[in-house]
Amino acid sequence: MQETSFDQLPEEGKSLLQAASDAKEHAYNPYSGFYVGTALLTLDNEIITGCNTENASYGCTICAERAALLKANSEGKRQFKAAAIVARGKDFDTQEVTAPCGACRQMLFEASQLGNGDLILYLATTTFDKVVVTSIQELFPLGFGPKDLGVDVRPYIKTSQ
Ligand code: THU
């Protein structure tokens, strides 16, 4: 896990954090007022974003990370090299970086198994004054995945035509 500054990031990290920050503004969040945006970078350098989408039945809420993953899958994209997450409160900026919740770590881990086995994560505060670069392997060690079920997910790298 590396704390760094926005300026020191590779272009990939800067673009992803900016896309995640923009996406968070689309959050549907009448219950929490919390805005979260995620941007995924596919292996072929396409950015796909998502934001949190809440529901009156609170448990139905979908986090930004999973929204992005589901959107990507719906577009036939299952292989990613990196992701970024940015959040803000209704009337406050985050003072620490926002990291994915447990359920989203599980889903990001599955995605990493379809890619190169890991996923770089760029995390930043609302104003980008704090930036952390980490990875799903680091945030979710010994993750439960396809191998535990004896399943080879490689045939699922591409969606069926
Ligand atoms: N949320 C995310 O979108 N991602 C996370 O990793 C943590 C939480 C959302 C869900 C809910 O809409 C709001 O933040 C408050 O939990």
Side-chain angles (χ1 to χ4, degrees), residues 2-10 13-14 17 122-124 128-133:
Q2 191 201 348
E3 255 202 78
T4 183
S5 68
F6 185 82
D7 291 342
Q8 282 179 319
L9 287 175
K14 290 180 183 167
L17 282 172
Y122 298 98
L123 313 177
F128 296 168
D129 64 328
K130 280 189 192 171
V131 177
V132 168
V133 183

Side-chain angles (χ1 to χ4, degrees), residues 95-158:
Q95 300 302 305
E96 300 298 335
V97 301
T98 299
C101 79
C104 291
R105 290 181 198 203
Q106 181 70 46
M107 291 280 290
L108 289 165
F109 181 78
E110 180 93 13
S112 74
Q113 301 305 292
L114 289 156
N116 61 20
D118 203 358
L119 195 59
I120 296 167
L121 297 175
Y122 298 98
L123 313 177
T125 54
T126 310
T127 61
F128 296 168
D129 64 328
K130 280 189 192 171
V131 177
V132 168
V133 183
T134 180
S135 74
I136 193 62
Q137 284 291 346
E138 194 170 26
L139 292 190
F140 201 62
L142 294 179
F144 178 78
K147 69 166 185 351
D148 295 291
L149 298 172
V151 172
D152 176 13
V153 290
R154 291 276 134 192
Y156 292 85
I157 283 171
K158 288 200 182 339

Side-chain angles (χ1 to χ4, degrees), residues 31-88:
Y31 308 103
S32 74
F34 199 58
Y35 294 75
V36 189
T38 295
L40 297 166
L41 185 64
T42 66
L43 286 189
D44 47 7
N45 293 315
E46 193 181 332
I47 291 179
I48 297 166
T49 59
C51 64
N52 52 324
T53 305
E54 299 185 347
N55 190 275
S57 177
Y58 290 5
C60 294
T61 291
I62 307 288
C63 292
E65 299 88 329
R66 281 176 289 155
L69 286 167
L70 297 181
K71 187 170 147 194
N73 185 58
S74 307
E75 295 174 10
K77 312 284 161 52
R78 293 178 174 165
Q79 292 195 288
F80 314 104
K81 51 184 167 187
I85 302 164
V86 181
R88 73 168 172 89

